[in-house]
Amino acid sequence: MYYEANVLKRRDVASLGAVEAAFREGPLAAALRAAPSIERRCGLGADAFEREYRRGLRPVVMQGAAADWPAVREWSFERLAERCGDTRVVVDSYSSQRARETTFAEFVSLLNGNTGTGTVPLYLQEWYYQEHCAQLAADLPELDIAQYDFRRELYGEAVSTNHQLWIGQKGGITRLHQDSYMVDVMHVQLVGAKRWSVLGPRANLPRTGDGRANFGRLVDHPDTELMQCVLEPGDVLYLPAQWFHRIELLEDSMGLGRKCLDPIHLQLHVRQRMAELLAIALNAEEVKKTHPELFNVVMARNRTWAGRMNIDLSKLRP
Ligand SMILES: O=C(O)CCC(=O)C(=O)O
């Protein structure tokens, strides 16, 4: 079995739990309190974005860049339930223990009832709304700065606009991860506020001689580049490929995950896609063991992707 030495990259339950605990009340929580903010820019044009951030692979928050979007001005849980109430969704899909399938309308009524001390916040993560609720896309216009997304050329327009919605309750968490397939993150905050904690792509959490994660080494190393920001409605965060990120919902929240493939990452992107498909096709049992929390998410993601490319999964060849 392949052994991943960097604990930040491991997807088994124990490693995920150790990193999350360190963020909640351990060494990473303390480091975060002293961590610098990601730069915030108001009125940043496409050329300046390109020159000052994308070429240098530096994160930036574009304050209010989507403030005039219909989704930012008009959306609420109830409004979406009126428009997509019958759509089937998997709530808490990032947790093998809590994942459950329901309708969007039922999810919203669960949210309303899920309050008080001791309740675990509900989170609809990585929802490919365009599969069954495509009409929402009209409220989420394309960003000027996202024109470089090479997935258009690679897979066609439908897949390049294969964006995800993240809808959840105050206190919800998306654990630290790097996005798959070498894509850049462009996250648009639509409703509510959330805190992003990010680490640079070279961040490394090794183990000590007795096998425990060495958080001291992580926190002290310059490659860790720990930073944070709070996104408010209308803000857009650009995070270059391979930056680690952890998200905490400070209020009930909705966000749009708009991914972009920079052509400089094309070869690695294709390799990762192929590696994932081959692992699922040829080695699914082992992948279930190494990625127990994410196996179903990866399957759902690939089914959606195939659907948007009109690939019939019941056939080897059309
Ligand atoms: O908002 C979240 O909870 C996670 C978003 C995310 O990981 C992304 O857009 O890449």
Side-chain angles (χ1 to χ4, degrees), residues 42-219:
C42 230
L44 186 71
D47 289 347
F49 164 71
E50 178 76 24
R51 225 178 23 250
E52 295 176 40
Y53 299 97
R54 192 161 83 85
R55 281 198 210 139
L57 303 177
R58 298 305 302 167
V60 63
V61 176
M62 287 154 275
Q63 187 167 324
D68 60 349
W69 282 18
V72 174
R73 287 190 278 106
E74 294 159 18
W75 280 15
S76 64
F77 294 153
E78 284 68 26
R79 292 287 287 274
L80 285 195
E82 284 161 20
R83 294 170 68 182
C84 303
D86 294 336
T87 305
R88 296 205 73 75
V89 293
V90 180
V91 178
D92 289 330
S93 59
Y94 275 35
S95 159
S96 56
Q97 307 286 305
R98 296 198 310 277
R100 61 176 123 162
E101 190 176 331
T102 178
T103 62
F104 193 88
E106 177 62 13
F107 165 57
V108 171
S109 81
L110 287 171
L111 288 177
N112 293 332
N114 191 47
T115 52
T117 43
T119 48
V120 179
L122 296 167
Y123 204 173
L124 172 55
Q125 287 161 304
E126 200 178 324
W127 176 36
Y128 291 95
Y129 69 94
Q130 286 181 314
E131 210 183 351
H132 299 295
C133 219
Q135 70 275 19
L136 297 182
D139 293 356
L140 305 159
E142 179 59 308
L143 292 161
D144 271 2
I145 52 164
Q147 297 302 327
Y148 67 90
D149 185 0
F150 196 75
R151 291 179 307 167
R152 281 197 186 86
E153 275 72 21
L154 200 53
Y155 306 120
E157 191 66 27
V159 175
S160 80
T161 54
N162 193 1
H163 312 327
Q164 323 149 2
L165 285 169
W166 300 75
I167 301 181
Q169 262 182 320
K170 178 177 173 178
I173 299 279
T174 297
R175 287 178 296 211
L176 190 78
H177 65 282
Q178 289 172 301
D179 277 13
S180 307
Y181 325 126
M182 299 300 295
V183 287
D184 298 345
V185 171
M186 278 201 191
H187 197 94
V188 186
Q189 187 64 18
L190 305 170
V191 173
K194 58 190 174 193
R195 180 184 305 285
W196 284 62
S197 309
V198 308
L199 307 181
R202 288 181 303 277
N204 181 25
L205 175 56
R207 286 171 195 267
T208 54
D210 61 5
R212 276 183 300 180
N214 187 348
F215 285 103
R217 154 69 171 68
L218 176 71
V219 166

Side-chain angles (χ1 to χ4, degrees), residues 250-301:
L250 303 177
E251 296 169 356
D252 291 352
S253 162
M254 298 193 204
L256 172 73
R258 198 272 177 247
K259 313 292 170 171
C260 281
L261 175 61
D262 192 315
I264 61 169
H265 293 132
L266 179 57
Q267 195 178 60
L268 282 171
H269 171 84
V270 173
R271 261 186 88 96
Q272 283 192 9
R273 275 272 181 211
M274 281 178 53
E276 183 174 283
L277 294 175
L278 290 172
I280 293 169
L282 303 176
N283 212 12
E285 288 314 309
E286 184 168 327
V287 176
K288 270 185 207 160
K289 284 187 215 139
T290 53
H291 292 64
E293 294 293 86
L294 279 185
F295 185 77
N296 289 333
V297 175
V298 170
M299 291 302 283
R301 191 185 284 163

